[in-house]
Amino acid sequence: MLAHSDQGTGKPVVLLHGFPLTGAMWRFQVDGLAAEHRVIVPDLPGFGGSAVVDGPVTMATYANAVADLLNGLGVNGPIALAGFSMGGYVAFEILRQGRIDVGALALVDTKATADTPEARQGRHTMAARVREEGAGVMADAMLPKLFSAAALESMPSVTAEVHQMMSAQPAESVAQALEAMAARPDSTPELAAVSASTMVIAGELDEIATLDEARAMAEAIPGADLEEVAGAGHLAPMEAPGEVNEALVAWLSSSS
Ligand code: MLT
């Protein structure tokens, strides 16, 4: 079973972390939501407290592990599922698989499109470097892309925490996730069929999953709401937790 935290009681809310992070990236949201909900936060396979798996890894590996976890916890009814960035790619795979009843969906700083051939090549080059040099090289490359320039200056303890989280992940897991993201399909054609009550949350200054991509997703998913987080970069749940929590609370109350 995946390592996870499970706090609070009420409607189950499952939060899927991004790359190369752990469930700890959601700590502000657990604080904000667990008073009224059961908040389940897994560490995806190979990250945090979850064991490194034998490769190759795909989005299906992650989606199946989350479904197995929820089955193991006896969570069968409709869940509210939030995916941040790579966690959003996993959420799309969960929808495709249909093993979990997703009643509400939050897509946080993520995108539906697949990698371009150039991005895919970059992931494979980086995977080879990470296997050779360790996860620190990925942490150094990622940190400036995760936060706005202002937050990189003004939030040294949060940015140091995130850098430490990224460098502590097993190199093999980081490399596997790069390969899994490179191989992920384009989820755009499936957006029109999403029936879950959906909220798209996007940092205004996100360079990894841009505001334009978020707007396009929100337009393509029937009835989706869009919350733009002013001034925030990619890791909005940690850079602007107040705004992100407010959007998640609104999403959860409108979908219950
Ligand atoms: C993430 O934040 O999960 C990743 O940066 C997403 C990506 O690289 O596509």
Side-chain angles (χ1 to χ4, degrees), residues 115-141:
D115 278 0
T116 60
E118 189 187 28
R120 212 167 275 146
Q121 186 50 49
R123 303 247 202 224
H124 288 297
T125 305
M126 191 49 133
R129 272 194 74 191
V130 167
R131 284 196 173 98
E132 188 82 4
E133 298 171 44
V137 60
M138 193 72 242
D140 292 347

Side-chain angles (χ1 to χ4, degrees), residues 17-21 84-87 89 109 111 115 123 142 146 178 181 184 208 234:
H17 65 78
F19 166 88
L21 300 165
F84 166 77
S85 201
M86 183 178 81
Y89 310 157
D109 297 288
K111 56 192 168 197
D115 278 0
R123 303 247 202 224
M142 277 297 278
L146 290 182
L178 284 163
M181 289 193 288
R184 78 187 190 280
I208 294 180
H234 184 56

